[in-house]
DNA sequence: GATTGTGGTAACCTTAAAGTAACGATTATG
DNA sequence: CATAATCGTTACTTTAAGGTTACCACAATC
Protein backbone atom coordinates (compact mmCIF):
# COMPACT_ATOMS: atom_id res chain seq x y z
CA UNK A 1 0.00 0.00 0.00
CA UNK A 2 1.23 3.45 -0.87
CA UNK A 3 1.79 5.48 2.26
CA UNK A 4 3.88 8.27 0.83
CA UNK A 5 3.12 11.57 2.39
CA UNK A 6 1.82 14.15 0.01
CA UNK A 7 4.13 17.18 -0.10
CA UNK A 8 2.03 20.28 -0.49
CA UNK A 9 4.83 22.73 -0.83
CA UNK A 10 6.07 21.05 -3.96
CA UNK A 11 2.75 20.22 -5.54
CA UNK A 12 1.87 21.97 -8.82
CA UNK A 13 -1.82 21.81 -8.09
CA UNK A 14 -1.39 23.47 -4.73
CA UNK A 15 0.76 26.13 -6.30
CA UNK A 16 -1.87 26.76 -8.93
CA UNK A 17 -4.57 27.08 -6.30
CA UNK A 18 -2.34 29.43 -4.36
CA UNK A 19 -2.04 31.52 -7.50
CA UNK A 20 -5.70 31.54 -8.52
CA UNK A 21 -7.57 30.60 -5.41
CA UNK A 22 -8.58 33.96 -4.08
CA UNK A 23 -12.03 35.39 -4.00
CA UNK A 24 -11.54 37.64 -7.01
CA UNK A 25 -8.75 36.43 -9.26
CA UNK A 26 -10.72 34.01 -11.41
CA UNK A 27 -13.29 36.71 -12.00
CA UNK A 28 -10.62 39.22 -12.96
CA UNK A 29 -9.18 36.74 -15.45
CA UNK A 30 -12.60 36.01 -16.85
CA UNK A 31 -13.41 39.72 -17.05
CA UNK A 32 -10.26 40.43 -19.01
CA UNK A 33 -10.74 37.52 -21.38
CA UNK A 34 -9.01 38.28 -24.66
CA UNK A 35 -9.36 42.03 -24.38
CA UNK A 36 -7.34 44.90 -22.97
CA UNK A 37 -9.39 46.59 -20.28
CA UNK A 38 -8.96 49.80 -18.29
CA UNK A 39 -8.68 49.67 -14.53
CA UNK A 40 -11.85 51.66 -14.07
CA UNK A 41 -13.76 49.38 -16.41
CA UNK A 42 -12.65 46.23 -14.61
CA UNK A 43 -13.71 47.84 -11.39
CA UNK A 44 -17.09 48.84 -12.78
CA UNK A 45 -17.77 45.40 -14.22
CA UNK A 46 -16.84 43.62 -11.05
CA UNK A 47 -19.23 45.71 -9.04
CA UNK A 48 -18.48 44.88 -5.46
CA UNK A 49 -14.71 44.68 -5.31
CA UNK A 50 -12.91 47.59 -3.66
CA UNK A 51 -10.25 49.47 -5.59
CA UNK A 52 -7.66 48.59 -3.00
CA UNK A 53 -8.23 44.88 -3.37
CA UNK A 54 -8.49 45.10 -7.16
CA UNK A 55 -5.12 46.86 -7.32
CA UNK A 56 -3.63 44.28 -5.00
CA UNK A 57 -4.89 41.35 -7.04
CA UNK A 58 -3.72 42.90 -10.30
CA UNK A 59 -0.25 43.43 -8.88
CA UNK A 60 -0.08 39.81 -7.78
CA UNK A 61 -1.38 38.58 -11.12
CA UNK A 62 1.25 40.68 -12.85
CA UNK A 63 3.97 39.30 -10.59
CA UNK A 64 2.81 35.82 -11.49
CA UNK A 65 3.03 36.61 -15.18
CA UNK A 66 -0.68 36.15 -15.78
CA UNK A 67 -1.59 39.75 -16.47
CA UNK A 68 0.22 42.51 -18.36
CA UNK A 69 -0.07 46.14 -17.30
CA UNK A 70 0.26 48.99 -19.77
CA UNK A 71 0.27 52.55 -18.45
CA UNK A 72 -0.27 55.41 -20.91
CA UNK A 73 1.35 58.73 -20.20
CA UNK A 74 -1.86 60.72 -20.27
CA UNK A 75 -3.76 62.85 -17.87
CA UNK A 76 -5.99 61.82 -16.31
CA UNK A 77 -4.06 58.54 -16.26
CA UNK A 78 -5.02 55.52 -18.31
CA UNK A 79 -3.92 52.01 -17.45
CA UNK A 80 -4.92 48.92 -19.36
CA UNK A 81 -4.66 45.32 -18.30
CA UNK A 82 -4.68 42.21 -20.45
CA UNK A 83 -3.89 38.52 -20.12
CA UNK A 84 -0.45 37.25 -21.07
CA UNK A 85 -0.16 34.01 -23.07
CA UNK A 86 0.24 32.22 -19.75
CA UNK A 87 -2.93 33.88 -18.53
CA UNK A 88 -4.84 33.10 -21.71
CA UNK A 89 -4.14 29.42 -21.16
CA UNK A 90 -6.18 29.60 -17.98
CA UNK A 91 -9.35 30.47 -19.85
CA UNK A 92 -10.11 26.89 -20.94
CA UNK A 93 -9.53 25.67 -17.38
CA UNK A 94 -11.90 28.26 -15.99
CA UNK A 95 -14.33 27.26 -18.70
CA UNK A 96 -14.20 23.64 -17.65
CA UNK A 97 -14.95 24.67 -14.11
CA UNK A 98 -17.94 26.63 -15.34
CA UNK A 99 -19.23 23.68 -17.35
CA UNK A 100 -18.71 21.33 -14.43
CA UNK A 101 -20.74 23.60 -12.20
CA UNK A 102 -23.53 24.14 -14.70
CA UNK A 103 -23.81 20.40 -15.23
CA UNK A 104 -24.03 19.48 -11.57
CA UNK A 105 -25.56 22.47 -9.81
CA UNK A 106 -29.08 23.44 -10.76
CA UNK A 107 -29.12 27.21 -11.21
CA UNK A 108 -30.18 28.97 -8.07
CA UNK A 109 -32.52 31.89 -8.50
CA UNK A 110 -32.24 34.37 -5.66
CA UNK A 111 -34.53 37.28 -4.88
CA UNK B 1 -19.09 48.64 -25.50
CA UNK B 2 -20.25 46.07 -23.01
CA UNK B 3 -20.56 47.58 -19.57
CA UNK B 4 -22.67 44.92 -17.93
CA UNK B 5 -21.79 44.38 -14.34
CA UNK B 6 -20.52 40.95 -13.56
CA UNK B 7 -22.73 39.18 -11.01
CA UNK B 8 -20.54 37.08 -8.78
CA UNK B 9 -23.30 35.48 -6.82
CA UNK B 10 -24.72 33.84 -9.90
CA UNK B 11 -21.49 32.96 -11.65
CA UNK B 12 -20.71 29.26 -12.07
CA UNK B 13 -16.99 29.87 -11.96
CA UNK B 14 -17.23 31.74 -8.69
CA UNK B 15 -19.41 29.00 -7.27
CA UNK B 16 -16.87 26.41 -8.33
CA UNK B 17 -14.05 28.35 -6.73
CA UNK B 18 -16.12 28.69 -3.59
CA UNK B 19 -16.53 24.92 -3.62
CA UNK B 20 -12.92 23.99 -4.32
CA UNK B 21 -10.93 27.05 -3.47
CA UNK B 22 -9.76 26.24 0.01
CA UNK B 23 -6.29 25.37 1.11
CA UNK B 24 -6.89 21.64 1.32
CA UNK B 25 -9.82 20.55 -0.81
CA UNK B 26 -7.99 20.06 -4.10
CA UNK B 27 -5.39 17.99 -2.29
CA UNK B 28 -8.07 15.87 -0.64
CA UNK B 29 -9.67 15.23 -4.01
CA UNK B 30 -6.33 14.39 -5.54
CA UNK B 31 -5.45 12.13 -2.59
CA UNK B 32 -8.69 10.19 -2.97
CA UNK B 33 -8.35 9.84 -6.71
CA UNK B 34 -10.22 6.75 -7.84
CA UNK B 35 -9.78 4.88 -4.58
CA UNK B 36 -11.69 4.50 -1.34
CA UNK B 37 -9.50 5.73 1.50
CA UNK B 38 -9.78 5.61 5.26
CA UNK B 39 -9.89 8.79 7.26
CA UNK B 40 -6.65 8.01 9.04
CA UNK B 41 -4.89 7.27 5.76
CA UNK B 42 -6.00 10.54 4.19
CA UNK B 43 -4.76 12.29 7.27
CA UNK B 44 -1.41 10.48 7.17
CA UNK B 45 -0.88 11.19 3.49
CA UNK B 46 -1.69 14.84 3.82
CA UNK B 47 0.81 15.27 6.58
CA UNK B 48 0.24 18.74 7.92
CA UNK B 49 -3.52 19.08 8.00
CA UNK B 50 -5.19 18.86 11.40
CA UNK B 51 -7.89 16.27 11.97
CA UNK B 52 -10.37 18.98 12.82
CA UNK B 53 -9.88 20.74 9.51
CA UNK B 54 -9.82 17.49 7.57
CA UNK B 55 -13.14 16.47 9.09
CA UNK B 56 -14.56 19.87 8.30
CA UNK B 57 -13.46 19.78 4.68
CA UNK B 58 -14.75 16.24 4.20
CA UNK B 59 -18.14 17.22 5.59
CA UNK B 60 -18.34 20.14 3.19
CA UNK B 61 -17.22 18.02 0.25
CA UNK B 62 -19.88 15.48 1.14
CA UNK B 63 -22.52 18.21 1.37
CA UNK B 64 -21.47 19.38 -2.07
CA UNK B 65 -21.84 15.86 -3.45
CA UNK B 66 -18.19 15.53 -4.32
CA UNK B 67 -17.23 12.92 -1.76
CA UNK B 68 -19.09 9.87 -0.43
CA UNK B 69 -18.68 8.74 3.17
CA UNK B 70 -19.08 5.11 4.18
CA UNK B 71 -18.97 4.22 7.87
CA UNK B 72 -18.50 0.56 8.84
CA UNK B 73 -20.03 -0.68 12.06
CA UNK B 74 -16.81 -1.97 13.53
CA UNK B 75 -14.75 -1.23 16.56
CA UNK B 76 -12.44 0.53 16.43
CA UNK B 77 -14.42 2.49 13.87
CA UNK B 78 -13.62 2.49 10.18
CA UNK B 79 -14.75 5.20 7.79
CA UNK B 80 -13.87 5.33 4.13
CA UNK B 81 -14.16 8.21 1.74
CA UNK B 82 -14.28 8.17 -2.05
CA UNK B 83 -15.13 10.50 -4.90
CA UNK B 84 -18.63 10.51 -6.34
CA UNK B 85 -19.07 10.68 -10.13
CA UNK B 86 -19.34 14.44 -9.75
CA UNK B 87 -16.09 14.45 -7.83
CA UNK B 88 -14.34 12.20 -10.32
CA UNK B 89 -15.09 14.71 -13.05
CA UNK B 90 -12.91 17.20 -11.21
CA UNK B 91 -9.79 15.09 -11.66
CA UNK B 92 -9.15 16.16 -15.27
CA UNK B 93 -9.62 19.79 -14.28
CA UNK B 94 -7.12 19.45 -11.45
CA UNK B 95 -4.82 17.72 -13.89
CA UNK B 96 -5.00 20.63 -16.30
CA UNK B 97 -4.08 22.98 -13.49
CA UNK B 98 -1.11 20.80 -12.68
CA UNK B 99 0.04 20.76 -16.29
CA UNK B 100 -0.41 24.50 -16.60
CA UNK B 101 1.75 25.04 -13.56
CA UNK B 102 4.46 22.61 -14.62
CA UNK B 103 4.61 24.25 -18.03
CA UNK B 104 4.97 27.80 -16.77
CA UNK B 105 6.62 27.56 -13.37
CA UNK B 106 10.12 26.18 -13.22
CA UNK B 107 10.25 23.71 -10.34
CA UNK B 108 11.48 25.33 -7.16
CA UNK B 109 13.85 23.31 -5.04
CA UNK B 110 13.72 24.33 -1.40
CA UNK B 111 16.10 23.39 1.42
C1' DG C 1 -8.49 -1.57 35.56
C1' DA C 2 -5.00 0.69 32.49
C1' DT C 3 -3.74 0.87 27.50
C1' DT C 4 -4.49 0.89 22.52
C1' DG C 5 -6.78 2.09 18.19
C1' DT C 6 -10.05 4.98 15.42
C1' DG C 7 -12.87 8.77 14.08
C1' DG C 8 -14.38 12.15 15.66
C1' DT C 9 -16.03 16.93 18.77
C1' DA C 10 -15.50 21.41 21.67
C1' DA C 11 -13.33 25.51 23.20
C1' DC C 12 -10.09 28.55 22.25
C1' DC C 13 -6.36 31.21 19.67
C1' DT C 14 -3.75 32.99 15.50
C1' DT C 15 -3.23 34.54 10.97
C1' DA C 16 -4.38 35.97 6.41
C1' DA C 17 -7.72 38.02 3.41
C1' DA C 18 -10.86 41.37 2.53
C1' DG C 19 -13.43 45.67 3.48
C1' DT C 20 -13.78 50.94 4.69
C1' DA C 21 -12.75 55.59 4.46
C1' DA C 22 -9.91 59.19 3.56
C1' DC C 23 -6.20 61.22 0.94
C1' DG C 24 -2.50 62.19 -3.26
C1' DA C 25 -0.90 63.48 -8.02
C1' DT C 26 -1.76 66.01 -12.23
C1' DT C 27 -3.96 68.68 -15.84
C1' DA C 28 -8.07 70.73 -18.05
C1' DT C 29 -12.30 73.28 -17.33
C1' DG C 30 -15.30 76.82 -15.61
C1' DC D 1 -9.21 78.79 -7.06
C1' DA D 2 -12.69 74.99 -6.78
C1' DT D 3 -14.07 70.81 -9.40
C1' DA D 4 -13.71 66.72 -12.01
C1' DA D 5 -11.44 62.69 -13.85
C1' DT D 6 -8.35 58.51 -13.18
C1' DC D 7 -5.45 55.31 -10.83
C1' DG D 8 -3.92 54.61 -7.23
C1' DT D 9 -1.96 54.54 -1.66
C1' DT D 10 -2.26 54.49 3.55
C1' DA D 11 -4.02 53.36 7.96
C1' DC D 12 -7.30 51.01 10.25
C1' DT D 13 -11.03 47.48 11.22
C1' DT D 14 -13.61 43.28 10.35
C1' DT D 15 -14.27 38.55 8.94
C1' DA D 16 -13.19 33.95 7.66
C1' DA D 17 -10.03 30.20 7.56
C1' DG D 18 -7.08 27.46 9.69
C1' DG D 19 -4.41 25.63 13.80
C1' DT D 20 -3.84 23.74 18.82
C1' DT D 21 -4.98 21.23 22.60
C1' DA D 22 -7.66 18.38 25.18
C1' DC D 23 -11.38 15.36 25.40
C1' DC D 24 -15.16 11.30 24.23
C1' DA D 25 -17.00 6.58 22.87
C1' DC D 26 -16.33 1.71 22.61
C1' DA D 27 -14.42 -2.90 22.45
C1' DA D 28 -10.27 -5.79 22.69
C1' DT D 29 -6.13 -6.91 24.95
C1' DC D 30 -2.81 -7.32 28.71
Amino acid sequence: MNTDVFLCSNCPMTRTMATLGSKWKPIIIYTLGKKSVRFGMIHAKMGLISRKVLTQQLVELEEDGIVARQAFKELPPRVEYSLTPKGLELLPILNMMTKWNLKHNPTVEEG
Side-chain angles (χ1 to χ4, degrees), chain A:
Chain A
M1 192 192 301
N2 172 17
T3 50
D4 291 348
V5 171
F6 187 87
L7 295 176
C8 301
S9 54
N10 215 23
C11 161
M13 187 179 51
T14 301
R15 287 201 300 262
T16 302
M17 288 306 289
T19 305
L20 302 182
S22 76
K23 182 171 177 183
W24 297 110
K25 281 179 186 169
I27 305 172
I28 293 174
I29 293 168
Y30 175 83
T31 301
L32 288 178
K34 300 180 180 174
K35 299 164 308 208
S36 194
V37 187
R38 292 188 70 162
F39 179 87
M41 182 59 77
I42 303 174
H43 186 249
K45 286 208 182 211
M46 292 185 58
L48 290 171
I49 194 174
S50 70
R51 276 180 310 173
K52 187 201 86 170
V53 174
L54 179 53
T55 301
Q56 233 168 49
Q57 305 295 298
L58 285 169
V59 166
E60 290 177 18
L61 286 170
E62 199 193 353
E63 284 170 356
D64 287 331
I66 292 165
V67 152
R69 179 183 190 275
Q70 187 180 13
F72 297 86
K73 294 188 176 173
E74 299 176 358
L75 272 161
R78 176 158 69 105
V79 180
E80 292 191 359
Y81 293 89
S82 56
L83 293 180
T84 63
K86 177 177 174 181
L88 286 168
E89 286 180 37
L90 287 172
L91 291 178
I93 298 179
L94 295 181
N95 251 312
M96 282 183 75
M97 294 185 354
T98 297
K99 280 184 192 161
W100 176 83
N101 181 273
L102 287 175
K103 176 174 176 185
H104 293 286
N105 292 29
T107 309
V108 182
E109 300 282 343
E110 300 207 36

